[in-house]
Structure formats: C-alpha cells, structure tokens
Amino acid sequence: MSFPTKTEVEALRKRYVGHRVRLIRTDDPYTHLKPGDEGIVKFVDDAGTIHINWDCGSGLGLVPGHDLFETID
C-alpha cells in the first residue's frame, strides 16, 4: 500500500470534509455498515483515510480507491 502525498491528502480534505457520503461497498469484515448507510466526513488523516461520523453511530474510516462511496450533497 502506498501513502498519498501531502498534496493528495489536502485535495481529499477539500473535497470531502464536512460533506455527506453514502457507502457503496467496503470489505471490512468487522463493520456492521451496509451499502446505503450515510454519514458526514469529520476529517482526513495524513494517510488519506476518510473518517466519517456515520448516522448509525459507527466511526469506520474509508480508504479511497479501496472502499467505494459517493458524496450526496
């Protein structure tokens, strides 16, 4: 796994922080999230993981290019 550059992380932050997202797919075997679940992006860490406050209470972060999601606002 390669880590994004600082420029790429900043672009992710500008694109997603504060926006609502909807989960399309994740293969995390430990999550109870399912396709269609929604939440608001809290922050993007330095590794490029997008951390979300899911409406269902989960705090699972998503990895762009691995997990599939869409913005909905």
Side-chain angles (χ1 to χ4, degrees):
M1 177 180 170
S2 63
F3 288 97
T5 65
K6 288 182 181 184
T7 302
E8 291 169 328
V9 169
E10 278 306 312
L12 289 171
R13 288 176 176 146
K14 288 179 182 175
R15 180 173 179 186
Y16 292 112
V17 172
H19 291 272
R20 285 191 66 76
V21 294
R22 179 180 300 126
L23 180 66
I24 297 171
R25 180 192 61 78
T26 182
D27 59 2
D28 186 319
Y30 302 105
T31 186
H32 296 290
L33 290 173
K34 54 193 175 308
D37 283 346
E38 298 179 2
I40 297 177
V41 177
K42 296 186 304 186
F43 67 97
V44 177
D45 66 22
D46 291 340
T49 301
I50 298 172
H51 295 269
I52 300 158
N53 277 337
W54 294 99
D55 295 347
C56 64
S58 176
L60 181 73
L62 300 179
V63 178
H66 180 77
D67 299 305
L68 294 176
F69 59 96
E70 62 187 351
T71 57
I72 55 174
D73 51 14

